């Protein structure tokens, strides 16, 4: 019970760091990072230092991912929706109380266009993977797809009791 609580806090801290500066609307379907998203990655191509053995560990962990969903309780500062679900004004209003004026306006415009199904390149909703950890649990991968605009797979490092972004393993645009 204590171990489960500790692992849960460990993952929550990682996800808080991973979601920094990410869109406020999250798709409930968990992103499954496929092998073809990272098979071509090698350590010497990265803009940051990462042991090639860690990349190999990540690749071997991909097959262990399971289809699952995010719940609203997983993100205290995000709105979680189902695929093609309209975003309810009441939910938006209660959530946007915590935002500054610019964030609130940008979110309202994005949600209005999303609800009207305006065909544009948009960054919402963001689809997020569950963390994939190295065997030491000092490194983690988290993948993101930003609406219909592109995505990235980021690497995080746990050092001195906290998670930080190392860099992106890969990025793409549509």
């Amino acid at each position: 019970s204590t171990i489960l609580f500790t692992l849960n806090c460990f993952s929550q801290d990682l996800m808080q760091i991973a979601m920094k500066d990410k869109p406020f609307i999250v798709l409930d379907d968990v992103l499954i990072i496929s092998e073809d998203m990272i098979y071509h990655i090698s350590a010497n191509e990265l803009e940051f230092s990462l042991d090639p053995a860690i990349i190999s560990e990540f690749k071997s962990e991909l097959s262990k991912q399971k289809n699952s969903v995010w719940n609203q309780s997983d993100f205290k500062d995000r709105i979680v929706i189902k695929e093609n679900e309209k975003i309810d004004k009441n939910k938006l209003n209660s959530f946007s109380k915590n935002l500054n004026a610019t964030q609130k306006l940008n979110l309202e415009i994005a949600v209005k266009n999303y609800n009207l199904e305006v065909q544009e390149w948009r960054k919402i909703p963001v689809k997020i993977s569950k963390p994939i950890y190295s065997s030491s649990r000092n490194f983690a991968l988290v993948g993101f797809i930003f609406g219909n605009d592109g995505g990235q797979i980021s690497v995080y490092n746990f050092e001195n009791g906290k998670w930080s972004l190392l860099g992106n393993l890969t990025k793409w645009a549509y």
Side-chain angles (χ1 to χ4, degrees), residues 38-130:
I38 68 167
Y39 78 96
H40 63 282
I41 304 296
S42 67
N44 60 354
E45 298 172 347
L46 300 175
E47 295 177 1
F48 56 94
S49 177
L50 186 64
D51 185 331
I54 301 294
I55 295 173
S56 295
E57 286 180 27
F58 286 147
K59 289 177 180 178
S60 69
E61 290 294 312
L62 293 179
S63 64
K64 297 177 184 175
Q65 297 173 94
K66 293 182 174 36
N67 288 328
S68 60
V69 295
W70 292 108
N71 297 304
Q72 187 60 58
S73 60
D74 294 319
F75 298 99
K76 68 178 183 186
D77 58 351
R78 299 290 189 272
I79 297 172
V80 178
I81 64 169
K82 296 184 180 316
E83 181 84 36
N84 298 318
E85 175 185 346
K86 301 287 187 210
I87 300 167
D88 179 77
K89 280 244 190 220
N90 293 331
K91 201 181 223 186
L92 181 62
N93 289 339
S94 66
F95 171 76
S96 64
K97 290 176 189 171
N98 303 322
L99 304 177
N100 67 40
T102 304
Q103 289 174 317
K104 192 180 289 192
L105 179 62
N106 289 340
L107 181 61
E108 287 171 1
I109 291 168
V111 167
K112 179 180 177 187
N113 289 339
Y114 176 81
N115 282 345
L116 292 173
E117 298 179 22
V118 172
Q119 294 301 312
E120 63 179 15
W121 295 109
R122 61 175 188 267
K123 296 193 180 302
I124 64 168
V126 61
K127 188 172 187 177
I128 310 162
S129 74
K130 297 279 183 167

Side-chain angles (χ1 to χ4, degrees), residues 31-41 58-59 62-63 65 145 153 169-172:
L31 171 63
I32 300 295
I33 300 173
S34 64
E35 189 175 317
D36 60 332
M37 291 171 136
I38 68 167
Y39 78 96
H40 63 282
I41 304 296
F58 286 147
K59 289 177 180 178
L62 293 179
S63 64
Q65 297 173 94
I145 294 179
I153 299 175
L169 206 55
T170 187
K171 287 177 103 169
W172 63 93

Side-chain angles (χ1 to χ4, degrees), residues 4 12 19 129:
L4 183 59
Q12 285 175 342
M19 291 303 294
S129 74

